[in-house]
Amino acid sequence: MRRFGFALALMAAQLVPDGSQAEGHSHEGLTWRAQKCLLYKRAWDAAYLAVDQQDVSEEFLSRNATFLAAGCRERVAVCPRSKAEFDMANMLTIMTMNEGMASTFVPFSCRADGD
């Protein structure tokens, strides 16, 4: 749990915008959905580096890649199964909520698409 807290703090610090982002320069012209997807992608990359990558399945990575490729617009069920995947899902949910997104933005679900 200690590692999780440290990793979460580190990742949250990485998402804090620098001066140009705070003024809106880096996200100019992007819709809120596109901004959220960009922030999620950055958070995903940081979360992946914070966990035991050998414990993250190809299916988990592939489903998330599908979500990102769709511009985070389609509901893709990304189902965490291992400890590392659950750690990532928890970190990403908290990180995205800290950025002002609803917890429903993240694609984590263990249901079949469309259910």
Side-chain angles (χ1 to χ4, degrees), residues 3 12 19-20 23-24 26 32 40-41 58 64 67 69 76-77 79 82 85 97 100 102 104 107-108:
R3 181 179 175 202
S20 64
E23 296 168 12
S26 67
W32 176 227
Y40 175 80
K41 168 70 170 105
E58 281 300 317
N64 186 73
F67 177 68
V76 176
C79 182
S82 69
E85 292 170 358
M97 289 178 68
T104 56
F108 305 114

Side-chain angles (χ1 to χ4, degrees), residues 19-105:
S20 64
Q21 289 174 321
E23 296 168 12
H25 296 278
S26 67
H27 298 158
E28 235 173 83
L30 294 180
T31 64
W32 176 227
R33 169 67 72 175
Q35 289 177 41
K36 290 188 294 187
C37 196
L38 177 64
L39 289 167
Y40 175 80
K41 168 70 170 105
R42 289 179 186 162
W44 172 272
D45 292 344
Y48 182 65
L49 293 175
V51 299
D52 178 2
Q53 296 168 10
Q54 293 179 355
D55 200 24
V56 179
S57 70
E58 281 300 317
E59 179 181 2
F60 190 75
L61 295 171
S62 174
R63 304 284 295 166
N64 186 73
T66 299
F67 177 68
L68 287 169
C72 307
R73 287 182 189 88
E74 295 179 23
R75 293 309 307 167
V76 176
V78 180
C79 182
R81 298 188 191 283
S82 69
K83 179 182 180 333
E85 292 170 358
F86 274 103
D87 286 349
M88 285 184 69
N90 289 332
M91 284 187 271
L92 287 159
T93 301
I94 292 168
M95 291 167 67
T96 54
M97 289 178 68
N98 284 341
E99 290 293 332
M101 300 176 220
S103 62
T104 56
F105 176 82

Side-chain angles (χ1 to χ4, degrees), residues 12-24:
Q14 290 174 342
L15 288 179
V16 174
D18 64 17
S20 64
Q21 289 174 321
E23 296 168 12

